[in-house]
Amino acid sequence: MSRLDRSLIAGLPVFQGMAPEDLDRVLQQARSLRIAKDQAVFEQEGEAHSFFLLLDGHARVVKTTPDGQQVIVRYISPGELMGIAHALGRSTYPASAVAAVDCVVLAWPGHLWPELAESFPSFGTSTYKTVGARLQETQARVVELATEQVEQRVAHALLRLVKQTGKKTDEGILIDFPISRQDIAEMTGTTLHTVSRLLTAWEEKGLVKSGRQKVTVVEPHRLFVLAEGRADKS
């Protein structure tokens, strides 16, 4: 296997402040993998044999509930870690990660995480910040599911994706990876029918444009007003 170049990870937040020789040491223990669209990077309750950094593409983190329902917890963007079960004190993955498009990831053996966190404090600190931010995001999602109407939940979900992956186009801000109405339903604890009805209504009002696995937010502010539960006067 050819040696991985440090330029792959230099400048990424999780490796910020690390010296070039330290980046080389970290990469010596990594391997590069290509994950085809819809293929699992890792599976819920599987042994946490590796942790990963997404270099290219997007992956969705999916949690299967005891009754078999699938919930999309979040999407992973390039430069983000995933599968960091050891940072949670777990030996198995708490959820699955599935490639939303063809992906390229770096993988490290899971048992190396404590060693890397100790050897490179900035890496450990950044990883714990990632864990903390995701726990906060999960708590916010739980509150949304418990207290908000479906319309608000779907609006919040689209705004989160725009913030995470939005790409400006002539029509508005495109969620820059394929996302289906079923995906949005699984993110927001509702049904495909409800999401389709909402997106159709919002298109008629000029808030969004949607097509096959494609959503563009045309009026982010008006969508924010809906997300916050305020009446849209337009």
Side-chain angles (χ1 to χ4, degrees):
M1 184 177 67
S2 59
R3 183 176 173 179
L4 297 170
D5 192 280
R6 73 172 75 108
S7 63
L8 288 170
I9 61 173
L12 295 179
V14 72
F15 298 110
Q16 216 153 31
M18 290 176 63
E21 58 270 22
D22 291 336
L23 295 175
D24 289 338
R25 281 179 58 197
V26 168
L27 282 175
Q28 280 173 8
Q29 324 228 34
R31 58 198 173 104
S32 175
L33 302 172
R34 292 187 178 274
I35 312 292
K37 180 183 178 182
D38 295 327
Q39 181 180 336
V41 184
F42 52 85
E43 306 229 357
Q44 182 173 326
E45 298 306 330
E47 180 190 352
H49 52 76
S50 304
F51 64 92
F52 306 86
L53 177 81
L54 184 62
L55 286 179
D56 187 50
H58 288 90
R60 55 182 176 268
V61 178
V62 181
K63 181 85 172 174
T64 303
T65 64
D67 62 2
Q69 182 182 353
Q70 288 200 326
V71 178
I72 296 177
V73 179
R74 74 184 313 272
Y75 278 84
I76 303 290
S77 294
E80 290 191 80
L81 290 168
M82 57 182 169
I84 47 176
H86 289 271
L88 297 168
R90 291 181 57 114
S91 60
T92 59
Y93 297 115
S96 301
V98 180
V101 294
D102 291 345
C103 293
V104 179
V105 302
L106 292 179
W108 287 264
H111 65 82
L112 280 181
W113 186 86
E115 179 186 321
L116 292 176
E118 184 177 347
S119 300
F120 308 109
S122 60
F123 171 80
T125 300
S126 182
T127 305
Y128 283 124
K129 282 182 179 177
T130 297
V131 170
R134 289 180 188 172
L135 286 174
Q136 283 186 318
E137 184 180 315
T138 299
Q139 288 175 337
R141 293 277 303 281
V142 169
V143 171
E144 285 178 16
L145 288 169
T147 63
E148 293 185 352
Q149 300 295 321
V150 172
E151 184 177 53
Q152 291 175 268
R153 299 203 303 265
V154 174
H156 268 134
L158 293 182
L159 289 169
R160 267 195 300 271
L161 292 172
V162 159
K163 183 178 179 182
Q164 187 178 2
T165 72
K167 177 183 177 183
K168 287 188 177 180
T169 69
D170 291 340
E171 294 183 325
I173 306 176
L174 172 70
I175 295 172
D176 196 22
F177 61 88
I179 184 165
S180 69
R181 294 183 174 193
Q182 182 62 43
D183 292 335
I184 297 169
E186 290 178 9
M187 289 181 72
T188 54
T190 188
T191 63
L192 173 60
H193 172 75
T194 298
V195 170
S196 296
R197 178 175 55 78
L198 281 173
L199 290 182
T200 298
W202 291 349
E203 282 198 69
E204 290 172 355
K205 292 180 179 180
L207 274 68
V208 303
K209 287 191 176 182
S210 65
R212 181 173 168 79
Q213 296 199 325
K214 180 179 176 182
V215 178
T216 298
V217 175
V218 179
E219 295 277 2
H221 177 72
R222 288 174 63 196
L223 198 62
F224 176 78
V225 168
L226 285 177
E228 294 302 298
R230 291 179 260 159
D232 180 16
K233 306 294 186 189
S234 303

